[in-house]
Amino acid sequence: MALVDLLNVSKHYEAQKILTNINFHVDEGERIVIIGKNGSGKSTLMKIVDGSLEADSGERITRQNLEVKMLSQRPEFKEGQNVKDAVKDGLKELIDAKIRYDELSLLLADDFENRSLLDESAKLGHYLDHHNAWSLDDKIERIIDHFQLREFEEKPVLMLSGGEQRRVALASLLLQKPDVLLLDEPTNHLDVYMVEFLEELILKEKFTLVFISHDRYFIDRIATKSIEVEDCKLREFKGGYSDYLTQKEEILRTMQQQHDNLLRLVKSENEWYSRGVRARLKRNEGRKARLMDLRDDAKVNPAKIRKMSVELEREAKHFNRDKSVNRQKMLFEVEDLGITLGEKKLIENFSARILQKDVIAIVGPNGSGKSTLLKALLGRLKPTCGVIKQGEFTIGYFDQHREMLDDSKDLIETFCPNGGDRVDVQGHNMHVYGYLKNFLFPREFLDKKVGILSGGEKNRVALALLFTKKVDILILDEPTNDLDIPTINILEEKLTNFPGAVIIVSHDRYFVDKIAKKLLIFKGDGQIEESHQQYSEYLELEHELAELAEMEKESAKEKPVERVKQKELKLTFKEKIALEKLPIEIEKLEKLIDEKNGCLSNPACYEKIGITVLAEELQKLKESYEQKVDELLTIEEKAEEIQAL
């Protein structure tokens, strides 16, 4: 039996139809994503599932005593309540149940055949099992840490920002683990590390979940079923985002000519996903398998951990080499930049060059200084030290507060401030409706005031307006927040075709992977790392290196170094020489291996040498590299052992 059934449900707002005779079911263990354009009825459907909104007609049937809870876009808290109490709010029943269960365990120790005590204990045990509430205190502390709420722990929750309050409300709901959890854009205001924690928690705790999200990696990892809301109807797709793309493309192929533009977008998205993401996932799965195999070996041979760490670091190093073309026009030259706000050091000794065709994503944890760097580049914030040299160019800026919009103007006035109904778009003169149609606005929106639009609709207006400007560089701060997936696809297409430079701040891994050619990664404590790899690939490598470090720590505990007299254990003269020479030789081999790999992908090169000869040379270089890395790790391990004595 389904936990929630909606049968022949309809909902209208005044003359506007939202849902018409739809059927929707939530079974235990399902994780359902609701997909659709902003304004299509996604949130309305979720509120009807929740029971907080009544349908105009149809039935909502739920299992008896079903607990359904929803993350509100604007959560409410008690006056004066601090963050920790707000996180624990709603857990009283679970805490009381655990206390009573422990009491019953003591009573049953003396009276183990008491049937009423046994029945009560079994019932409470099942309740605690379902909510995974056996170690609530540990879970509370863990979720406070992972959602970066520790520094606010004793602070009144109503004094926090809207995004921070949403994190508090989400933390509380996850701890309560209702029978059905409803989440509307749960990844908004979360950085990638928080999103990864959320993914792991949802999967591990086996939540029954209905959610709305524009984070396509999150959807793909979490969803077991996708429901699309379109034209007041629901269409069901098996699986997550990649499966939705494939099935949607097939449906669009069979539809009329008017869907050609949408089909083109979906086809392009599907091709990118298949070409890039699946290949990367396959590669990462191979590394993950090697990590799992390494766990047992590491207990008897810690050097293997070090060897794999070197390989992963080498892989990261390969991506991080500067691939910029120096002949391009320089837009910004940043030299030894430092920015400190209050006691917090956000940027330290940062130098970089931003060129005319760079597409850069600025990524990292919340509060690490990403938006601060944008403000410095825009000249809105004076650096503590260092300089930012700027060439002659124009900037188009999109911020989360949509400062370019005037709420009192309608869309015609916004796009045609000097009158008329035509707009210039990158040299093309277009009717304003024809242009806004590309951003999914129907004709009836043209005379609507900006102030009455939803947050997502305002973002679409701001982005559409941005692409009418003649600029050399686009700077965008969290552009995908409050956007639906169809609009994000349009934004991606516009950015891909933009002829100038692009700088974006974003936590959306899929968006960054698809758009960015270079990353500026905020590591914390003012450090910024530059990389040319995909963001999700960088996160995967970072995660695996952290796992290896943890394994090395565990291995050291399990197999303590056998202490011997220092005079009996020392490096030989030959080992000392090797310790100096091997890193240089290994670096040379890395360059040679890269050169041979480059030649293998260039027909003009491998045809001159011969592909068989080239492959043999590459194999010998790899064998030599492996041998020298093994030798270096063995000597380094011995040197560390001596140092520990």
Side-chain angles (χ1 to χ4, degrees):
M1 176 190 169
L3 299 182
V4 180
D5 273 312
L6 301 184
L7 304 176
N8 297 318
V9 161
S10 295
K11 184 65 184 177
H12 301 169
Y13 290 117
E14 296 177 354
Q16 186 182 3
K17 294 181 179 180
I18 303 295
L19 301 170
T20 305
N21 294 328
I22 61 100
N23 295 301
F24 180 80
H25 317 282
V26 183
D27 292 328
E28 190 168 0
E30 280 191 315
R31 298 184 297 273
I32 303 170
V33 62
I34 304 173
I35 295 173
K37 298 174 188 174
N38 284 343
S40 61
K42 302 190 298 293
S43 295
T44 298
L45 174 59
M46 187 171 278
K47 287 173 184 174
I48 294 172
V49 173
D50 177 47
S52 57
L53 180 68
E54 281 194 25
D56 296 332
S57 60
E59 287 185 276
R60 175 182 180 267
I61 303 168
T62 65
R63 194 181 68 185
Q64 193 174 8
N65 300 321
L66 187 77
E67 186 181 37
V68 181
K69 292 198 174 179
M70 181 173 175
L71 176 67
S72 170
Q73 288 284 8
R74 294 180 181 175
E76 295 180 3
F77 299 96
K78 296 169 186 171
E79 191 72 38
Q81 191 176 44
N82 69 25
V83 167
K84 189 161 188 178
D85 288 342
V87 170
K88 293 170 71 173
D89 198 27
L91 298 178
K92 186 177 184 306
E93 284 186 30
L94 290 171
I95 293 168
D96 289 348
K98 179 64 169 61
I99 292 169
R100 178 57 180 161
Y101 183 87
D102 291 340
E103 289 173 353
L104 290 170
S105 297
L106 292 173
L107 292 170
L108 284 167
D110 296 326
D111 190 6
F112 60 88
E113 292 185 351
N114 187 312
R115 177 49 55 190
S116 64
L117 293 180
L118 284 168
D119 288 345
E120 187 183 356
S121 178
K123 186 177 178 182
L124 284 173
H126 178 74
Y127 176 69
L128 293 168
D129 270 339
H130 175 73
H131 291 86
N132 197 8
W134 296 102
S135 54
L136 268 179
D137 288 341
D138 289 343
K139 287 177 72 176
I140 290 166
E141 297 304 315
R142 187 163 168 255
I143 211 163
I144 283 174
D145 283 334
H146 278 282
F147 279 170
Q148 294 179 12
L149 297 170
R150 182 67 66 194
E151 62 183 298
F152 310 126
E153 203 172 11
E154 302 302 326
K155 191 174 180 179
V157 70
L158 292 175
M159 290 181 65
L160 302 185
S161 70
E164 289 160 351
Q165 287 185 22
R166 286 249 307 166
R167 294 206 314 257
V168 172
L170 177 59
S172 181
L173 276 178
L174 291 168
L175 287 165
Q176 293 171 49
K177 198 189 175 191
D179 298 319
V180 179
L181 178 61
L182 309 176
L183 301 178
D184 191 350
E185 293 291 359
T187 63
N188 272 4
H189 310 291
L190 302 186
D191 64 35
V192 289
Y193 301 102
M194 297 179 197
V195 173
E196 286 179 340
F197 170 71
L198 177 61
E199 289 170 350
E200 296 294 340
L201 188 65
I202 287 170
L203 294 172
K204 182 182 175 185
E205 302 269 343
K206 296 183 171 60
F207 277 85
T208 299
L209 179 68
V210 181
F211 68 103
I212 297 167
S213 180
H214 68 259
D215 186 327
R216 289 157 289 180
Y217 280 150
F218 181 77
I219 293 171
D220 219 26
R221 185 154 190 225
I222 296 300
T224 58
K225 184 164 75 177
S226 302
I227 298 292
E228 184 179 51
V229 186
E230 188 176 41
D231 298 331
C232 306
K233 299 291 185 183
L234 305 187
R235 183 181 282 122
E236 182 177 318
F237 301 87
K238 292 180 181 177
Y241 184 66
S242 56
D243 296 312
Y244 160 77
L245 278 178
T246 304
Q247 295 166 66
K248 179 74 173 177
E249 187 180 350
E250 286 304 312
I251 290 168
L252 287 172
R253 283 184 195 281
T254 65
M255 298 178 76
Q256 298 173 8
Q257 191 72 23
Q258 67 189 64
H259 292 281
D260 280 356
N261 197 42
L262 183 55
L263 175 58
R264 178 176 55 79
L265 274 175
V266 171
K267 186 177 180 180
S268 170
E269 175 86 333
N270 202 11
E271 284 173 356
W272 182 85
Y273 190 95
S274 299
R275 183 178 67 250
V277 180
R278 289 204 171 100
R280 179 178 54 73
L281 289 175
K282 188 175 180 181
R283 186 165 67 250
N284 288 349
E285 283 167 7
R287 281 208 307 264
K288 183 62 71 178
R290 285 169 63 204
L291 271 174
M292 298 306 291
D293 292 341
L294 188 61
R295 288 191 182 279
D296 292 331
D297 289 351
K299 293 175 184 176
V300 294
N301 191 352
K304 287 191 176 183
I305 300 174
R306 295 288 306 284
K307 181 182 174 185
M308 189 163 180
S309 294
V310 168
E311 288 174 3
L312 291 183
E313 283 163 4
R314 177 177 178 269
E315 191 171 340
K317 183 180 172 185
H318 166 75
F319 283 109
N320 293 347
R321 290 178 182 149
D322 188 5
K323 300 178 183 178
S324 61
V325 181
N326 291 326
R327 288 189 298 274
Q328 290 180 24
K329 176 184 173 185
M330 190 275 292
L331 302 181
F332 292 103
E333 188 160 9
V334 183
E335 294 179 357
D336 298 322
L337 185 70
I339 298 178
T340 301
L341 296 181
E343 298 295 315
K344 191 168 184 180
K345 189 180 290 181
L346 295 174
I347 299 172
E348 182 180 22
N349 297 330
F350 173 60
S351 297
R353 299 178 80 233
I354 297 171
L355 306 176
Q356 67 185 113
K357 292 190 177 179
D358 275 345
V359 182
I360 299 169
I362 300 173
V363 296
N366 282 344
S368 58
K370 302 183 300 296
S371 295
T372 300
L373 177 58
L374 289 193
K375 289 173 185 173
L377 293 175
L378 290 162
R380 300 183 178 192
L381 179 70
K382 187 178 179 182
T384 309
C385 60
V387 294
I388 299 175
K389 297 176 185 176
Q390 184 174 328
E392 291 291 325
F393 57 88
T394 54
I395 297 174
Y397 177 53
F398 172 90
D399 76 322
Q400 298 176 60
H401 306 293
R402 300 178 286 265
E403 61 182 37
M404 65 179 76
L405 300 183
D406 182 342
D407 284 353
S408 67
K409 292 182 178 178
D410 61 30
L411 294 195
I412 287 279
E413 292 171 314
T414 299
F415 285 85
C416 307
N418 300 317
D421 57 6
R422 301 194 70 81
V423 62
D424 188 70
V425 183
Q426 306 294 324
H428 298 284
N429 189 266
M430 301 178 68
H431 190 278
V432 68
Y433 168 61
Y435 176 59
L436 287 177
K437 191 167 61 172
N438 294 328
F439 286 84
L440 309 179
F441 283 107
R443 188 180 289 274
E444 56 267 26
F445 269 68
L446 292 182
D447 58 359
K448 282 193 176 184
K449 298 289 185 188
V450 169
I452 68 167
L453 301 180
S454 69
E457 288 164 346
K458 284 182 179 179
N459 268 9
R460 274 156 55 201
V461 172
L463 287 167
L465 189 60
L466 184 66
F467 285 105
T468 66
K469 309 296 182 187
K470 291 181 180 177
V471 296
D472 300 298
I473 180 170
L474 292 172
I475 297 180
L476 303 99
D477 193 359
E478 292 289 1
T480 63
N481 273 4
D482 297 318
L483 292 185
D484 51 33
I485 290 173
T487 309
I488 295 174
N489 284 333
I490 291 165
L491 173 61
E492 288 165 350
E493 185 179 40
K494 295 287 184 187
L495 290 174
T496 301
N497 295 324
F498 180 69
V502 176
I503 301 175
I504 52 174
V505 168
S506 182
H507 293 302
D508 187 327
R509 297 159 294 175
Y510 192 104
F511 176 70
V512 171
D513 276 358
K514 198 169 179 186
I515 295 302
K517 295 183 175 68
K518 182 162 70 175
L519 305 176
L520 294 179
I521 304 159
F522 278 67
K523 308 285 287 181
D525 298 324
Q527 301 306 306
I528 303 174
E529 179 183 325
E530 188 175 305
S531 174
H532 287 84
Q533 68 198 117
Q534 286 197 320
Y535 189 31
S536 53
E537 178 84 356
Y538 166 83
L539 291 168
E540 189 73 28
L541 281 168
E542 183 185 52
H543 182 68
E544 287 166 1
L545 282 166
E547 273 193 65
L548 286 168
E550 189 61 35
M551 286 163 63
E552 200 165 15
K553 199 185 294 181
E554 289 171 9
S555 179
K557 287 178 186 174
E558 290 167 4
K559 189 184 177 187
V561 176
E562 189 178 325
R563 301 261 172 192
V564 296
K565 290 180 182 177
Q566 191 164 353
K567 65 178 182 181
E568 293 176 358
L569 184 63
K570 61 182 181 180
L571 292 180
T572 66
F573 177 75
K574 186 179 176 183
E575 286 171 335
K576 288 177 182 176
I577 296 297
L579 202 55
E580 292 178 8
K581 287 188 173 181
L582 281 170
I584 299 167
E585 292 172 5
I586 287 168
E587 190 173 345
K588 286 179 180 176
L589 284 168
E590 286 177 347
K591 288 179 181 175
L592 287 170
I593 288 168
D594 283 342
E595 286 172 10
K596 298 295 181 188
N597 279 323
C599 189
L600 274 173
S601 62
N602 182 354
C605 182
Y606 67 66
E607 285 172 5
K608 187 185 293 184
I609 300 171
I611 198 163
T612 305
V613 173
L614 193 59
E616 288 173 357
E617 289 175 356
L618 182 60
Q619 184 59 35
K620 285 177 183 175
L621 286 171
K622 285 181 176 178
E623 287 171 3
S624 178
Y625 173 81
E626 296 285 341
Q627 179 262 321
K628 288 184 185 295
V629 167
D630 282 340
E631 186 181 347
L632 178 61
L633 289 174
T634 303
I635 297 170
E636 283 182 341
E637 191 177 357
K638 184 177 176 182
E640 287 171 6
E641 198 173 329
I642 292 167
Q643 198 173 6
L645 292 172

